[in-house]
């Protein structure tokens, strides 16, 4: 792998909130990735997005999925696995899931025979889904809509587990802008980056996040009152998931868009 980075130091058919990280989290993942794009990949991104940053589109899909034009992407934000299932045994939705969507959209982005509009759409989708696949509740139970029906309290106020993980935990962990998040957590050593980028398949990322999701459910029974101790325990996980998402997104885009880049990303074809 060369020129990798410059280091600075499931049946959910009901319409329900299934957002990934909040806006801050998606912006952070995208901004970390943007800081690790090669010059060639960045030029390709600029061309496809008509000069706009990937940060600009980091949360676009959450809104677009609720429009008639892009309603087909609603189930692409997650892969639901119930408690009595394993990652491998969970039934596949005919309309798709996050792992298959990442693989399929990566193939479209990589296909230079596609018109630029199709490739630009694939890029926008990928930027968002690389955030979603690192949010633990996006590998949550179908029976509780990925934690949306898993009732908890947040400092004694009614909440649900999915919403807590989307925004409340990250915002309670650090009151930073997305640029400050990047500045503070994007400090992986070369060895740490190699570990993050090993087994660079979307299937691996989903299974890895599913392992975290199971631990979250176990640590957060229904009606748990989430408070300072919970925030302290899970903040390092949030930081690591943001960083993983950003570095893996950069590696994916560099691999696809820069012919000279020898990346780790390995899409599967369905």
């Amino acid at each position: 792998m060369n020129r990798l980075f410059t280091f600075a130091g499931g049946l959910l058919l009901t319409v329900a909130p299934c957002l990934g990280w909040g806006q801050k989290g998606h912006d952070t993942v995208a901004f970390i990735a943007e800081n690790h794009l090669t010059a060639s990949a960045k030029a390709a991104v600029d061309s496809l997005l008509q000069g706009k940053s990937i940060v600009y589109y980091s949360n676009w899909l959450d809104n677009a999925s609720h429009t008639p034009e892009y309603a087909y992407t609603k189930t692409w934000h997650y892969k639901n696995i119930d408690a009595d299932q394993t990652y491998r045994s969970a039934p596949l939705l005919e309309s798709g899931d996050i792992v298959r969507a990442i693989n399929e959209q990566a193939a479209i982005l990589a296909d230079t025979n596609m018109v630029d509009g199709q490739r630009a759409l694939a890029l926008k989708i990928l930027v968002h889904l690389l955030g979603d696949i690192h949010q633990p509740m996006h590998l949550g139970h179908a029976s509780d809509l990925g934690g949306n029906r898993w009732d908890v309290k947040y400092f004694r106020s009614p909440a649900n587990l999915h919403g807590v993980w989307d925004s409340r935990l990250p915002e309670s962990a650090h009151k930073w802008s997305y640029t400050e998040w990047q500045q503070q957590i994007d400090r992986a050593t070369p060895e740490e980056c190699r570990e993050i980028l090993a087994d660079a398949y979307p299937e691996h990322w989903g299974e890895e996040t599913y392992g975290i999701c199971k631990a979250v459910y176990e640590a957060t029974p229904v009606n748990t009152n989430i408070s300072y101790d919970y925030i302290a325990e899970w903040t390092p996980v949030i930081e690591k998931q943001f960083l993983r998402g950003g570095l893996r997104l950069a590696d994916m885009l560099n691999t696809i868009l820069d012919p000279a880049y020898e990346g780790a990303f390995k899409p599967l074809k369905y």
Side-chain angles (χ1 to χ4, degrees), residues 253-268:
L253 298 182
N254 288 337
T255 300
I256 293 172
L257 299 174
D258 184 350
Y261 178 86
E262 297 176 9
F265 174 65
K266 303 175 183 69
L268 296 179

Side-chain angles (χ1 to χ4, degrees), residues 25-38:
H26 278 291
D27 287 351
T28 299
V29 169
F31 192 56
I32 289 171
E34 187 172 71
N35 276 271
H36 292 290
L37 293 179
T38 66

Side-chain angles (χ1 to χ4, degrees), residues 184-226:
Q184 294 301 320
I185 70 173
D186 188 8
R187 301 178 179 220
T189 65
E191 292 76 15
E192 289 168 337
C193 276
R194 281 193 289 271
E195 180 181 349
I196 288 171
L197 297 180
D199 298 318
Y201 297 92
E203 281 284 352
H204 169 76
W205 305 336
E207 194 160 15
E208 176 186 75
T209 300
Y210 173 59
I212 298 171
C213 180
K214 290 197 298 182
V216 170
Y217 274 118
E218 290 169 5
T220 323
V222 171
N223 293 324
T224 294
N225 180 50
I226 293 171

Side-chain angles (χ1 to χ4, degrees), residues 1-44:
M1 193 180 305
N2 62 6
R3 294 194 294 119
L4 178 54
F5 300 112
T6 299
F7 293 98
L11 296 177
L12 207 161
L13 299 181
T14 305
V15 176
C18 60
L19 307 180
W21 300 117
Q23 181 75 60
K24 187 74 62 67
H26 278 291
D27 287 351
T28 299
V29 169
F31 192 56
I32 289 171
E34 187 172 71
N35 276 271
H36 292 290
L37 293 179
T38 66
S40 293
K42 189 173 188 309

Side-chain angles (χ1 to χ4, degrees), residues 228-246:
Y228 298 105
D229 54 342
Y230 191 97
I231 295 167
E233 179 180 358
W234 290 101
T235 291
V237 174
I238 291 167
E239 293 172 353
K240 188 164 190 176
Q241 291 301 96
F242 282 1
L243 182 61
R244 282 171 167 167

